[in-house]
Amino acid sequence: MRSSRELYKMSFKRNPLIDFRKFESYISLIFSLVFTVIVYFYVSSNSEVEYITSNTKDIVLYTIFGLLGMLGFIISGLAIISGTIGHNVTKNIIKAKKFNSLLKIMFSFNYLGHLLGFLIVVFIFIYFILSINSPFVKWAYISISAMLSYAIFFVIFFAISLLKTCLDIFVINYLYSDEEEMQESNNVEMEFINLKTDTITQILSERNLIDKDSFIAKLKQRVDEDIIDDSKKKELMKKISDYYSVD
């Protein structure tokens, strides 16, 4: 069982929150800069601190509820996705040496869940801090707004990027379950061939066209002459003896 630290290092080369090469990071930065400019003009145009604080508390409260809803959605989504990947599919993925890739995909949900939980706690603290009667510091308000808005935008766009991850998991589930279906199909085909062979043998034996002992002796002869591998030869001989109840 890998630790969270090992999974994190395996899944991300850099912290996604500050990896501005990724879409969700640089687009979040752009939106947060625009939002910061809006906050600056909002604070500059309002001299009443109580009015700003009241509106901010409402926004923070709505944000907390929104983040809680998103956290519940991520948890339930991860549970559903995990449930769709069956035991046989997982075994096929391990055989194909793609299990680490699957873990990377699943860990993205884990990362987002932890980030959402952290932001919920931060916003709860901010809500109560805003209730404290203290001097209003304009630049501190703008700076904190910029950082938190970036985090919120990042969470939104990272969650959107996970939609593609869900499609990837669907494709993986289909590809590796197909192998299982092929195996089941082959098993049915082999069972059908065995039934046909037994039926033909039974008809020939009932019409005295073939002797059971002669048939078994000929079958063993074919195994002895055609099979080179000794271990496989012994296994087939044992299977013939067990199947036809031969001592």
Side-chain angles (χ1 to χ4, degrees), residues 190-199 201-202 212 215-216 219-220 235-247:
M190 288 300 298
E191 188 69 25
F192 180 62
I193 291 172
N194 291 336
L195 286 170
K196 286 197 300 182
T197 304
D198 288 345
T199 303
T201 305
Q202 184 179 358
K212 179 180 177 182
F215 171 77
I216 295 171
L219 187 60
K220 287 185 175 182
E235 185 179 345
L236 286 171
M237 289 293 190
K238 184 177 184 305
K239 190 176 289 292
I240 291 171
S241 299
D242 292 341
Y243 189 80
Y244 292 103
S245 301
V246 179
D247 293 332

Side-chain angles (χ1 to χ4, degrees), residues 60-75:
V60 168
L61 192 61
Y62 296 146
T63 303
I64 291 172
F65 290 140
L67 292 174
L68 284 170
M70 188 178 289
L71 181 60
F73 175 77
I74 292 297
I75 293 172

Side-chain angles (χ1 to χ4, degrees), residues 217-233:
K218 195 65 177 177
L219 187 60
K220 287 185 175 182
Q221 182 184 344
R222 292 256 53 85
V223 171
D224 188 57
E225 293 176 357
D226 296 345
I227 305 300
I228 300 174
D229 190 342
D230 289 335
S231 61
K232 186 177 290 187
K233 187 182 294 186

Side-chain angles (χ1 to χ4, degrees), residues 175-202:
L175 290 176
Y176 289 96
S177 63
D178 189 52
E179 182 178 339
E180 178 188 350
E181 290 173 2
M182 288 292 293
Q183 183 65 36
E184 290 178 358
S185 177
N186 290 336
N187 290 339
V188 171
E189 188 68 24
M190 288 300 298
E191 188 69 25
F192 180 62
I193 291 172
N194 291 336
L195 286 170
K196 286 197 300 182
T197 304
D198 288 345
T199 303
I200 293 170
T201 305
Q202 184 179 358

